[in-house]
Amino acid sequence: MAETWVNVPEFGASEVGPGQVAGTNLHLELSGEGSLRSQLMHALREAIRSGRLAPGTRLPPYRSLAHDLGIARNTVADAYAELVEEGWLSARQGSGTKVARRATPLPPDQARRPQRQTRRRILHDLMPSSPDAAAFPRAAWLTSARRGIAAAPNNAFGVGDPRGRAELRETLAEYLARARGVRTEPDRIVICSGFAHGLKLLGSVLKGPVAVESYGLDFHRGLLEDAGLRTVPLTVDSYGARIDELPGTSAKAVLLTPAHQFPTGGPLHPERRAAVIDWARSCGGVLVEDDYDGEFRYDRQPVGAVQGLDPDRVVYIGSTSKSLSPALRLGWMVLPGRLVDDILAAKGPREMWSGVVDQLTLADFIACGAYDQHLRRMRQHYRRRRDLLASTLAERAPHIRVSGIAAGLHAVLELPKNTEDAALRAARRQGLAVDGLRPYRHPDSTMPPRDGLVIGYGTPQDHAFAAALEALCLALPDQPSDHRRKPAPARPSGGPAARKS
C-alpha cells in the first residue's frame, strides 16, 4: 500500500501572479488488489466522486505525481490516459490534464465503445518523411512565380510536354551537376510528380526481379509488384545494402537509397557504391537511385549521387517533397539515354501530372539562388531539432539507442526485443503519431526483425516540438532492471573488406 499527500493545482490557478504557486493538498491512497495503475485509477475516481477533486481541477504532471507516489511515470501516464477515455478526466495540449466538467462520468464500458469506431485524436505528429509545412518559403516562391510566368513564352500555356518544361530541365541539369554531382543533359531529364510517380513509370520499363533493401517503404515495393515485378531483399547493415548479395538474386535492377538509407539511416559505403556500378556493368543491370535526404546532411557535406559514377547505368530520381513541400508534386528522373523514349511512351503524349506554373516557378526559384538559400536555412533548422531530440533522449531515456541522425528528417529509436507493439500503444495513448520499425521490413528478408520506432522531427511546429518530445519520452519503455551496457558489435560481414562483387 502506498499513500501520500500530493499538491494539486486549483482550478483558476492561471490567475495567480508570477512566482506564486496555487494548489490544494490531496490525499491519495493506493491500496487494494490489482496493478499500481488500477489502484491509482481507483483512488482518482474516488477523489472525483467524493468531490475532493472538483470539475476543472488541474492534476499534477505525470512526473510529479509519479515521484510523489514512488511509482513509474508510465504507470501514471497510462492511468491518466485511461481515465480520459472513460470520461473522468480531460486532456488538451498546453492545458494539462483536468477533472472533466461533466456531472457524471460515463461508465467505462460506454466510454470505451466509441474508441473502437473512431481514431484517437492526434496531438503530436512525429511521423517520418514530412517537412515543416510552416517553413515553406511563401514570399520567395510567389516572387519566382511572378517572374517565371512573366518570362514564359505563350506556348508554355498550351498542351504540356511530357518531358517537362525546358526551362526547368535546363536549370535542373546545371543545379544537379553543381549540388549532387549528377552528370546529364536536359534532354535526359523527364519531369514527374514525385518519386512514386517516377518509380511507377519505371515499373513498366524494367525487367524483373528487382532487388531492394531489406528495410524500406512497403509502398514502393508495392508499386513494383503491381507492375508485375518481383522484389528480392538485400541485407542492410551499418554500411548500407549488401551489394555482394546481388549476383545471387538474378535481378536486373536494384533500388537503393545511397545518400541516407531509409529508414535505418547511414549512407552506402564508398566501396559498395563502386561495387553496385561494377555489378550493373557486368550484367547489363540498372541502379534506381532514390536520392532520399540527399540535401540534408549534418555531419559533413552531402554525399554526391552514385549516378555520377556511370550515367548510363543509373536512373536518378529526386523531388521537392522533403526540401520544399510534398504538395508541389514535382520530381525529376535523370535517365540513361536508352530509357528516355520508353519512359516518355509510358508517361503518355501530354503532361497530365505536373502543372506548368509550378515548373516555371521552380526553374526560377533554383536559378535565382532562392533554393540554395532555403536549403541552407532548413538544414540549420532541422539540425537544431535533431540535436534537441538527441539531447532529450540522452537525458530522459539513456537506455534507448538512437541511430540514423547524421542526415535526413528522421531517427530510429532501437527498442528492447518484443517491446515495439507496447511502445506504439503507449504512443497512441499520448496522442502521438509515430511509426514502428517492423512494417518497413521486407516480408521475405532473412534479417531478424528489429524492434524500434521511426521518429520524424520535421513536421511539428517549433512551439509544439518540446511537447511532442515529452509525449515520446512517456511512451518509451523503461530501462530493464537487468540492463547492461553491451559491447560494440564486431565488423559486419559483407562490409567493405568483404566485398565480393
Short mmCIF file of all heavy atoms in Angstrom, two decimals, residues 387-426:
data_model
loop_
_atom_site.label_atom_id
_atom_site.label_comp_id
_atom_site.label_asym_id
_atom_site.label_seq_id
_atom_site.Cartn_x
_atom_site.Cartn_y
_atom_site.Cartn_z
N ASP A 387 19.26 17.87 -32.85
CA ASP A 387 20.07 17.97 -31.64
C ASP A 387 19.19 17.95 -30.38
O ASP A 387 19.56 17.33 -29.37
CB ASP A 387 20.90 19.25 -31.67
CG ASP A 387 21.99 19.22 -32.74
OD1 ASP A 387 22.24 18.13 -33.30
OD2 ASP A 387 22.57 20.28 -33.02
N LEU A 388 18.04 18.62 -30.45
CA LEU A 388 17.14 18.63 -29.29
C LEU A 388 16.57 17.23 -29.05
O LEU A 388 16.47 16.79 -27.90
CB LEU A 388 16.01 19.64 -29.51
CG LEU A 388 15.00 19.77 -28.37
CD1 LEU A 388 15.69 20.13 -27.06
CD2 LEU A 388 13.92 20.81 -28.71
N LEU A 389 16.20 16.52 -30.12
CA LEU A 389 15.72 15.15 -29.97
C LEU A 389 16.80 14.29 -29.32
O LEU A 389 16.52 13.56 -28.35
CB LEU A 389 15.35 14.60 -31.35
CG LEU A 389 15.09 13.08 -31.44
CD1 LEU A 389 13.84 12.72 -30.66
CD2 LEU A 389 14.98 12.63 -32.88
N ALA A 390 18.03 14.38 -29.83
CA ALA A 390 19.10 13.53 -29.30
C ALA A 390 19.41 13.86 -27.85
O ALA A 390 19.59 12.95 -27.02
CB ALA A 390 20.35 13.69 -30.17
N SER A 391 19.47 15.15 -27.50
CA SER A 391 19.81 15.52 -26.13
C SER A 391 18.69 15.16 -25.16
O SER A 391 18.95 14.73 -24.03
CB SER A 391 20.12 17.02 -26.04
OG SER A 391 18.99 17.80 -26.40
N THR A 392 17.44 15.31 -25.60
CA THR A 392 16.31 14.94 -24.74
C THR A 392 16.31 13.46 -24.44
O THR A 392 16.12 13.03 -23.29
CB THR A 392 14.99 15.35 -25.40
OG1 THR A 392 14.97 16.76 -25.61
CG2 THR A 392 13.80 14.96 -24.54
N LEU A 393 16.55 12.64 -25.46
CA LEU A 393 16.57 11.20 -25.25
C LEU A 393 17.77 10.79 -24.41
O LEU A 393 17.67 9.87 -23.59
CB LEU A 393 16.59 10.48 -26.60
CG LEU A 393 15.29 10.60 -27.41
CD1 LEU A 393 15.48 10.04 -28.80
CD2 LEU A 393 14.15 9.86 -26.70
N ALA A 394 18.91 11.45 -24.61
CA ALA A 394 20.08 11.13 -23.80
C ALA A 394 19.82 11.40 -22.32
O ALA A 394 20.31 10.67 -21.45
CB ALA A 394 21.29 11.93 -24.27
N GLU A 395 19.03 12.43 -22.03
CA GLU A 395 18.73 12.78 -20.64
C GLU A 395 17.61 11.93 -20.06
O GLU A 395 17.70 11.44 -18.94
CB GLU A 395 18.35 14.26 -20.55
CG GLU A 395 17.95 14.70 -19.15
CD GLU A 395 17.48 16.14 -19.11
OE1 GLU A 395 17.56 16.82 -20.16
OE2 GLU A 395 17.02 16.57 -18.04
N ARG A 396 16.54 11.75 -20.84
CA ARG A 396 15.33 11.10 -20.32
C ARG A 396 15.30 9.59 -20.56
O ARG A 396 14.64 8.87 -19.80
CB ARG A 396 14.10 11.74 -20.99
CG ARG A 396 13.95 13.23 -20.75
CD ARG A 396 13.37 13.50 -19.38
NE ARG A 396 12.10 12.84 -19.22
CZ ARG A 396 10.94 13.33 -19.68
NH1 ARG A 396 10.91 14.49 -20.31
NH2 ARG A 396 9.80 12.67 -19.49
N ALA A 397 15.95 9.13 -21.61
CA ALA A 397 15.91 7.70 -21.93
C ALA A 397 17.29 7.25 -22.41
O ALA A 397 17.45 6.84 -23.57
CB ALA A 397 14.85 7.42 -22.99
N PRO A 398 18.29 7.30 -21.56
CA PRO A 398 19.65 6.97 -21.99
C PRO A 398 19.82 5.52 -22.41
O PRO A 398 20.81 5.18 -23.06
CB PRO A 398 20.50 7.29 -20.74
CG PRO A 398 19.54 7.22 -19.60
CD PRO A 398 18.22 7.69 -20.13
N HIS A 399 18.87 4.66 -22.05
CA HIS A 399 18.96 3.25 -22.43
C HIS A 399 18.47 3.00 -23.85
O HIS A 399 18.62 1.89 -24.37
CB HIS A 399 18.13 2.41 -21.47
CG HIS A 399 16.69 2.80 -21.41
ND1 HIS A 399 16.27 4.00 -20.87
CD2 HIS A 399 15.55 2.16 -21.83
CE1 HIS A 399 14.95 4.07 -20.96
NE2 HIS A 399 14.50 2.99 -21.54
N ILE A 400 17.91 4.02 -24.52
CA ILE A 400 17.42 3.88 -25.89
C ILE A 400 18.50 4.36 -26.85
O ILE A 400 18.94 5.51 -26.78
CB ILE A 400 16.12 4.70 -26.10
CG1 ILE A 400 15.03 4.23 -25.14
CG2 ILE A 400 15.66 4.60 -27.55
CD1 ILE A 400 14.54 2.82 -25.38
N ARG A 401 18.92 3.49 -27.76
CA ARG A 401 19.94 3.86 -28.75
C ARG A 401 19.28 4.56 -29.92
O ARG A 401 18.27 4.11 -30.45
CB ARG A 401 20.69 2.62 -29.24
CG ARG A 401 21.80 2.94 -30.24
CD ARG A 401 22.62 1.69 -30.58
NE ARG A 401 23.67 2.01 -31.53
CZ ARG A 401 23.53 1.91 -32.84
NH1 ARG A 401 22.38 1.51 -33.36
NH2 ARG A 401 24.53 2.20 -33.66
N VAL A 402 19.86 5.69 -30.32
CA VAL A 402 19.33 6.50 -31.43
C VAL A 402 20.29 6.37 -32.60
O VAL A 402 21.50 6.57 -32.45
CB VAL A 402 19.19 7.98 -31.02
CG1 VAL A 402 18.53 8.77 -32.14
CG2 VAL A 402 18.38 8.11 -29.74
N SER A 403 19.76 6.06 -33.78
CA SER A 403 20.61 5.90 -34.95
C SER A 403 20.00 6.63 -36.14
O SER A 403 18.84 7.03 -36.12
CB SER A 403 20.81 4.41 -35.28
OG SER A 403 19.56 3.80 -35.59
N GLY A 404 20.82 6.78 -37.19
CA GLY A 404 20.35 7.38 -38.43
C GLY A 404 20.18 8.88 -38.39
O GLY A 404 19.41 9.45 -39.16
N ILE A 405 20.92 9.57 -37.50
CA ILE A 405 20.69 11.01 -37.33
C ILE A 405 21.75 11.87 -37.99
O ILE A 405 21.76 13.08 -37.81
CB ILE A 405 20.62 11.38 -35.83
CG1 ILE A 405 21.90 10.98 -35.10
CG2 ILE A 405 19.42 10.72 -35.18
CD1 ILE A 405 21.94 11.47 -33.66
N ALA A 406 22.63 11.28 -38.81
CA ALA A 406 23.64 12.09 -39.50
C ALA A 406 23.04 12.88 -40.64
O ALA A 406 23.64 13.84 -41.12
CB ALA A 406 24.76 11.20 -40.02
N ALA A 407 21.85 12.51 -41.07
CA ALA A 407 21.20 13.19 -42.20
C ALA A 407 19.71 12.98 -42.10
O ALA A 407 19.21 12.19 -41.29
CB ALA A 407 21.73 12.64 -43.53
N GLY A 408 18.97 13.73 -42.93
CA GLY A 408 17.54 13.50 -43.06
C GLY A 408 16.69 14.17 -42.01
O GLY A 408 17.15 15.02 -41.25
N LEU A 409 15.43 13.73 -41.95
CA LEU A 409 14.44 14.30 -41.04
C LEU A 409 13.86 13.26 -40.10
O LEU A 409 12.77 13.44 -39.57
CB LEU A 409 13.30 14.95 -41.84
CG LEU A 409 13.67 15.96 -42.93
CD1 LEU A 409 12.41 16.56 -43.52
CD2 LEU A 409 14.56 17.04 -42.37
N HIS A 410 14.58 12.15 -39.92
CA HIS A 410 14.05 11.13 -39.02
C HIS A 410 15.20 10.44 -38.30
O HIS A 410 16.36 10.56 -38.68
CB HIS A 410 13.22 10.10 -39.80
CG HIS A 410 14.05 9.07 -40.51
ND1 HIS A 410 14.65 9.30 -41.73
CD2 HIS A 410 14.42 7.80 -40.15
CE1 HIS A 410 15.32 8.24 -42.11
NE2 HIS A 410 15.21 7.31 -41.17
N ALA A 411 14.84 9.74 -37.24
CA ALA A 411 15.78 8.94 -36.47
C ALA A 411 15.11 7.62 -36.12
O ALA A 411 13.89 7.53 -36.07
CB ALA A 411 16.22 9.67 -35.20
N VAL A 412 15.93 6.60 -35.87
CA VAL A 412 15.42 5.31 -35.43
C VAL A 412 15.77 5.12 -33.96
O VAL A 412 16.94 5.26 -33.57
CB VAL A 412 16.00 4.16 -36.26
CG1 VAL A 412 15.56 2.81 -35.69
CG2 VAL A 412 15.55 4.27 -37.71
N LEU A 413 14.78 4.84 -33.15
CA LEU A 413 14.97 4.56 -31.73
C LEU A 413 14.91 3.05 -31.56
O LEU A 413 13.85 2.44 -31.75
CB LEU A 413 13.90 5.24 -30.89
CG LEU A 413 14.11 6.71 -30.50
CD1 LEU A 413 14.35 7.58 -31.73
CD2 LEU A 413 12.90 7.22 -29.74
N GLU A 414 16.04 2.44 -31.25
CA GLU A 414 16.09 0.99 -31.14
C GLU A 414 15.57 0.58 -29.77
O GLU A 414 16.03 1.06 -28.74
CB GLU A 414 17.52 0.52 -31.36
CG GLU A 414 18.04 0.88 -32.75
CD GLU A 414 19.40 0.29 -33.05
OE1 GLU A 414 19.81 -0.65 -32.32
OE2 GLU A 414 20.04 0.76 -34.00
N LEU A 415 14.60 -0.35 -29.78
CA LEU A 415 13.91 -0.77 -28.56
C LEU A 415 14.32 -2.18 -28.16
O LEU A 415 14.77 -2.97 -29.01
CB LEU A 415 12.40 -0.73 -28.77
CG LEU A 415 11.78 0.61 -29.17
CD1 LEU A 415 10.28 0.46 -29.36
CD2 LEU A 415 12.07 1.68 -28.12
N PRO A 416 14.15 -2.52 -26.89
CA PRO A 416 14.39 -3.90 -26.48
C PRO A 416 13.47 -4.86 -27.24
O PRO A 416 12.39 -4.48 -27.70
CB PRO A 416 14.06 -3.89 -24.98
CG PRO A 416 14.22 -2.46 -24.57
CD PRO A 416 13.81 -1.64 -25.75
N LYS A 417 13.89 -6.09 -27.35
CA LYS A 417 13.14 -7.09 -28.11
C LYS A 417 11.72 -7.23 -27.58
O LYS A 417 11.47 -7.22 -26.37
CB LYS A 417 13.87 -8.43 -28.04
CG LYS A 417 13.29 -9.49 -28.97
CD LYS A 417 14.14 -10.76 -28.93
CE LYS A 417 13.56 -11.82 -29.88
NZ LYS A 417 14.38 -13.06 -29.85
N ASN A 418 10.78 -7.31 -28.52
CA ASN A 418 9.35 -7.54 -28.22
C ASN A 418 8.70 -6.40 -27.45
O ASN A 418 7.77 -6.62 -26.68
CB ASN A 418 9.17 -8.86 -27.45
CG ASN A 418 9.62 -10.06 -28.24
OD1 ASN A 418 9.47 -10.12 -29.46
ND2 ASN A 418 10.20 -11.04 -27.55
N THR A 419 9.19 -5.17 -27.64
CA THR A 419 8.57 -4.02 -26.97
C THR A 419 7.97 -3.01 -27.95
O THR A 419 7.39 -2.02 -27.52
CB THR A 419 9.59 -3.29 -26.08
OG1 THR A 419 10.66 -2.79 -26.89
CG2 THR A 419 10.15 -4.22 -25.01
N GLU A 420 8.10 -3.25 -29.26
CA GLU A 420 7.63 -2.26 -30.24
C GLU A 420 6.13 -2.05 -30.15
O GLU A 420 5.65 -0.91 -30.14
CB GLU A 420 8.02 -2.68 -31.65
CG GLU A 420 7.61 -1.68 -32.73
CD GLU A 420 8.12 -2.06 -34.10
OE1 GLU A 420 9.33 -2.31 -34.24
OE2 GLU A 420 7.30 -2.11 -35.04
N ASP A 421 5.36 -3.14 -30.10
CA ASP A 421 3.90 -3.00 -30.07
C ASP A 421 3.44 -2.25 -28.82
O ASP A 421 2.54 -1.39 -28.90
CB ASP A 421 3.24 -4.38 -30.12
CG ASP A 421 3.38 -5.04 -31.49
OD1 ASP A 421 3.67 -4.33 -32.47
OD2 ASP A 421 3.21 -6.27 -31.57
N ALA A 422 4.04 -2.56 -27.69
CA ALA A 422 3.67 -1.87 -26.45
C ALA A 422 4.00 -0.39 -26.54
O ALA A 422 3.23 0.47 -26.08
CB ALA A 422 4.36 -2.51 -25.25
N ALA A 423 5.15 -0.06 -27.14
CA ALA A 423 5.53 1.34 -27.28
C ALA A 423 4.57 2.09 -28.21
O ALA A 423 4.22 3.25 -27.96
CB ALA A 423 6.96 1.45 -27.81
N LEU A 424 4.11 1.43 -29.26
CA LEU A 424 3.15 2.07 -30.16
C LEU A 424 1.81 2.29 -29.47
O LEU A 424 1.17 3.33 -29.67
CB LEU A 424 2.97 1.21 -31.42
CG LEU A 424 4.16 1.17 -32.38
CD1 LEU A 424 3.93 0.12 -33.46
CD2 LEU A 424 4.38 2.54 -33.01
N ARG A 425 1.39 1.33 -28.64
CA ARG A 425 0.14 1.53 -27.89
C ARG A 425 0.29 2.69 -26.90
O ARG A 425 -0.63 3.51 -26.75
CB ARG A 425 -0.25 0.24 -27.16
CG ARG A 425 -0.73 -0.86 -28.06
CD ARG A 425 -1.41 -1.97 -27.25
NE ARG A 425 -0.48 -2.61 -26.33
CZ ARG A 425 0.26 -3.67 -26.63
NH1 ARG A 425 0.19 -4.20 -27.85
NH2 ARG A 425 1.07 -4.20 -25.73
N ALA A 426 1.43 2.75 -26.23
CA ALA A 426 1.67 3.85 -25.30
C ALA A 426 1.70 5.18 -26.03
O ALA A 426 1.20 6.20 -25.52
CB ALA A 426 2.98 3.63 -24.55
#
